[in-house]
Amino acid sequence: MLCRATLCSRVSSNGRYITSRVRNTAAASRLQYFPASGEVYQNVRRWSNIPFITMPLMRSHGKPFAHRSELKHAKRIVVKLGSAVVTRGDECGLALGRLASIVEQVSVLQNQGREMMIVTSGAVAFGKQRLRHEILLSQSVRQALHSGQNQLKDMQVPVLEARACAAAGQSGLMALYEAMFTQYSICAAQILVTNLDFHDEQKRRNLNGTLHELLRMNIVPIINTNDAVVPPPEPNSDLQGVISIKDNDSLAARLAVEMKADLIIVLSDVEGLFNSPPGSDDAKLIDIFYPGDQQSVTFGTKSRVGMGGMEAKVKAALWALQGGTSVVIANGTHPKISGHVIADIVDGKKVGTFFSEVKPAGPTVEQQAEMARAGGRTLATLQPEQRAEIIFHLADLLTDNRDEILFANKKDMEEAEDKGRLASPLLKRLSLSTAKLNSLAIGLRQIAASSQDSVGRVIRRTQVAKDLELEQVTVPIGVLLVIFESRPDCLPQVSALAIASGNGLLLKGGKEASNSNQTLYRLTQEALSLHGVKDAVQLVNTREEVEDLCRLNKLIDLIIPRGSSELVRDIQKAAKGIPVMGHSEGICHVYVDSEASVEKVTRIVRDSKCDYPAACNAMETLLIHRDVLRTPLFDQIIDMLRVEQVKIHAGPRFASYLTFSPSEVKSLRTEYGDLECCIEVVDSVQDAIDHIHKYGSSHTDVVITENEKTAEYFLQHVDSACVFWNASTRFSDGYRFGLGAEVGISTSRIHARGPVGIEGLLTTKWLLRGENHTVSDFSEQGTMKYIHENLPIPHRITN
């Protein structure tokens, strides 16, 4: 056993060894004891910038995990490293960078309290490198003695036998692992096995006992087949329920079942299983593989190195799954993901192919996205009157089924209040009422009325040349993914906008509104069935994480987040190759000018802050002209905010004017989302504009003044999506703008900006109609000339 670290251990009351390894006995003094739990936890330690934290993991081995999200509860994990993972591209020597990354990930998981085991290849490749070096060195010496020269000409390396390579490489492979694990104060132990060690009952018990003792001592066992003496696999043993150790895939499976491991992570040089050979045009990665699905998989060739191919991996994986161990097959060689592939799998992220015995009743999210794509294309070909009819029908269904909707929403509200997991602003967003549903139905009818001239509208016509006419027409963006928190009224609003613009739609709502969302989605499906386009709108009900949805860049064309600034930032960070439309924060300002009306100020400020403080268009910072201080107007503003129970935070300049000021604001870039706001003092309208540009979020900003020149200067110079004069920030809304509803408010400067309605969900394409035209016709020797004449745009006649 290769072990140089000092051990400091304690067994908890349930027998679980939980204390992570410490570098020396002095570190043991930093352990903390918590009497309430009877557990010992080590303080956070950092070696090589990796935090080592212990955590109790409770799971009794039984059935394999049914869902990826449950993998984070895996306590005992086997990581199988295929030959292609640990071997260099030239098949001679080890891929040291990949190995170092894998060791780092295993170390982090080990020091979280998990029990990690590694089944590794690489001895043959390492031995081949060493033996080649020795042979070349020996040949060069003989040649130099024979010829008197050091020229190495025509030297050929003989074919090396694999068993000899394994014998020469095994010690070096383990020395490398020991050196790498020592960097994280983790001890490693070597175990070499053959098929006979599993078939002989006494040897099998000895192996089991050794492994359990190593795990109890917090040591990482590194297991490999003893390739120097390995006998041929026993024939037909697989048919008797005992898998034969033919390669490291079957070894990992047998070992995992023997040790009652929760999870095997099989790393190779492919992403996982595909429905056709990887690399072919139609090949799609299979996210979840179920027993009996072998017919849907086409097995390609074996790995470039090693004994097992994908067929062997699947056979071993299914055997392990039957024995109660979950399996994930993933790519351990890709430079962009190999550094976190193991951690991502344990976190439940969609990496590789997950083997599960539980087949969901509905389609996968990938299938739903494909259905939305096909349904959206059919939707876009409908007549405008037909799309409008669907939306009108949905508005009627909301009114006719009001009691059912409110009953479902009441269940969501009661569950949220019982669990206490939602803050007050989110509870307000979750709540539906008769008034909300009536407003929602009115908004949907507005969308239906305005959708008659959206898709297929000609926005430009050009006579390029004689009999060559060009048109630019509006078309849907494609498939939208809208992720929303708390607000169930968002579902019919966004659905109506997607229907009006001919887009396919994926909806991902929060768990807190599941009952409301299911009811509203059923009504949406009923409306879509009016013209046979139910597939165009899909509600994601699987356990997909938001980050996994953001990786579907081949299926989704635009992501629109509706929720907290934290949600929007997370989506913007997670989106890989998919545009995100929205705003991360709603830091809205109201500037009170020195020439502002007393009556207008109190009404506008009250409405901007107090009408709905949780909304993204609520005022967060009140800017006051210096001349307004110590005036009756200022006193009225403060009195009104106190009556409305608004907590005031003082900006730095405002605090300097006061002897006893409110709590000074921690940051001028704060979105409170509640009855709180910041007050700051500015010297001029230009000072106010500079403040907004420095601390605002380009959402909505307001000036209150009776001076038209000042107002126009503010309107023209503030660079925000919405800029108002003598009006509440709360008008920044698709319904109030007459758009019927909005999919969100965008603060970006590309495509749509401000409240986004139907127009923001359209793009364009070019249609060119010619008569046997070629570009060569327009060359210097050609017979045609460009005209580029603008043509009148026809008006579509709608009912």
Side-chain angles (χ1 to χ4, degrees), residues 251-292:
L251 169 60
R254 181 63 197 267
L255 181 75
V257 173
E258 180 73 25
M259 293 298 294
K260 295 182 171 58
D262 302 312
L263 171 65
I264 306 177
I265 298 174
V266 180
L267 298 182
S268 67
D269 55 354
V270 293
E271 277 71 23
L273 303 186
F274 289 79
N275 60 353
S276 58
S280 62
D281 291 338
D282 298 326
K284 293 181 181 178
L285 180 67
I286 298 174
D287 172 41
I288 304 177
F289 186 81
Y290 308 97

Side-chain angles (χ1 to χ4, degrees), residues 293-308:
D293 279 358
Q294 289 92 322
Q295 298 81 4
S296 65
V297 178
T298 301
F299 295 106
T301 58
K302 294 206 310 181
S303 171
R304 60 176 172 81
V305 288
M307 295 292 294

Side-chain angles (χ1 to χ4, degrees), residues 24 62 93 178 205 267 319 518 528 552 559 607 622 628 639 757:
N24 50 50
E178 179 191 12
R205 283 200 301 266
L267 298 182
W319 192 88
Q518 285 290 345
L528 287 163
L552 302 177
I559 301 175
D607 191 75
L622 178 62
V628 176
D639 290 342

Side-chain angles (χ1 to χ4, degrees), residues 441-455:
I442 293 170
L444 263 58
R445 293 187 177 99
Q446 287 181 353
I447 294 172
S450 63
S451 68
Q452 304 277 339
D453 190 28
S454 55
V455 181

Side-chain angles (χ1 to χ4, degrees), residues 33 88 261 297 489 571:
Y33 178 69
R88 290 191 329 218
V297 178
D489 53 330
I571 290 173

Side-chain angles (χ1 to χ4, degrees), residues 409 412-413 416 421-432 436 483-492 508-517 520 562-564 567 612 614:
N409 184 248
D412 288 329
M413 291 292 293
R421 63 186 183 187
L422 288 185
S424 176
L426 291 179
L427 275 175
K428 291 179 182 178
R429 293 181 182 180
L430 176 61
S431 175
L432 292 177
K436 268 190 179 182
I483 303 169
F484 56 100
E485 292 177 320
S486 298
R487 295 182 52 178
D489 53 330
C490 179
L491 192 150
K508 174 66 173 175
K511 297 177 183 177
E512 66 281 353
S514 59
N515 294 297
S516 305
N517 288 338
L520 292 168
R562 294 286 300 271
S564 65
L567 171 72
Y612 192 2

